[in-house]
């Protein structure tokens, strides 16, 4: 099984409140598109963080889960986490911009490099 698919399945298993979002995603897309699904997950986390209505009860355990999964060294899962979660977090001046301060150490470092490394080697360099 692909690491990106495994990541999504584990996420939905750990956070059953995301099941409906997952099922709607699969139905609308004719299957799982992990990067597209993670856009929805990112929006759900942000909505919960900002105190708005949503499916998640608490955003903190999801960040902990992503930190743990990022550390498992699966390239496809890391790519999804970096490009479709970290890179979609709010920028300075946007609502929820301080959510990034709650990332675990590995994800915080990736976030810092993505936002502050103007001469970087692109996202592929962030996956290591």
């Amino acid at each position: 099984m692909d690491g990106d698919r495994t990541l999504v399945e584990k996420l939905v298993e750990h956070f059953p409140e995301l099941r409906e979002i997952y099922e709607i995603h699969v139905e609308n897309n004719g299957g799982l598109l992990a990067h597209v699904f993670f856009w929805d997950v990112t929006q759900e986390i942000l909505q919960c963080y900002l105190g708005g209505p949503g499916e998640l009860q608490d955003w903190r355990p999801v960040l902990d889960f992503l930190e743990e999964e990022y550390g498992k060294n699966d390239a496809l899962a890391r790519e999804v986490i970096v490009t479709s979660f970290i890179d979609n977090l709010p920028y300075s001046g946007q609502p929820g911009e301080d959510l990034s301060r709650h990332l675990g150490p590995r994800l915080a470092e990736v976030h810092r490099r993505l936002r502050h490394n103007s001469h970087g080697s692109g996202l592929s360099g962030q996956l290591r």
Side-chain angles (χ1 to χ4, degrees):
M1 189 174 288
D2 296 330
D4 53 348
R5 177 173 296 282
T6 301
L7 173 66
V8 170
E9 289 177 359
K10 287 171 72 174
L11 179 72
V12 172
E13 179 181 315
H14 279 77
F15 304 98
E17 58 264 46
L18 297 174
R19 169 84 41 207
E20 184 176 354
I21 294 169
Y22 170 80
E23 289 173 356
I24 291 169
H25 166 83
V26 169
E27 183 177 325
N28 288 343
N29 293 287
L32 174 63
L33 303 172
H35 287 277
V36 176
F37 176 71
F38 256 81
W39 166 257
D40 295 336
V41 169
T42 304
Q43 296 312 302
E44 183 67 28
I45 292 168
L46 185 58
Q47 187 75 349
C48 183
Y49 177 73
L50 293 172
E55 301 301 321
L56 282 174
Q57 301 301 311
D58 188 1
W59 51 271
R60 291 170 196 88
V62 183
L63 295 186
D64 293 341
F65 172 86
L66 295 175
E67 174 76 15
E68 183 180 325
E69 290 301 310
Y70 184 84
K72 291 186 177 176
N73 209 23
D74 180 282
L76 290 174
R78 282 180 166 217
E79 180 182 344
V80 169
I81 293 169
V82 172
T83 61
S84 298
F85 174 65
I86 298 293
D87 204 34
N88 285 323
L89 291 176
Y91 282 79
S92 180
Q94 295 179 322
E97 67 180 298
D98 54 345
L99 174 65
S100 62
R101 291 190 303 200
H102 300 280
L103 296 171
R106 289 181 287 250
L107 296 184
E109 176 61 18
V110 171
H111 183 265
R112 185 194 63 75
R113 283 193 259 158
L114 282 173
R115 300 293 164 94
H116 301 293
N117 187 1
S118 60
H119 303 292
S121 60
L123 290 175
S124 63
Q126 307 308 314
L127 299 176
R128 291 185 209 125

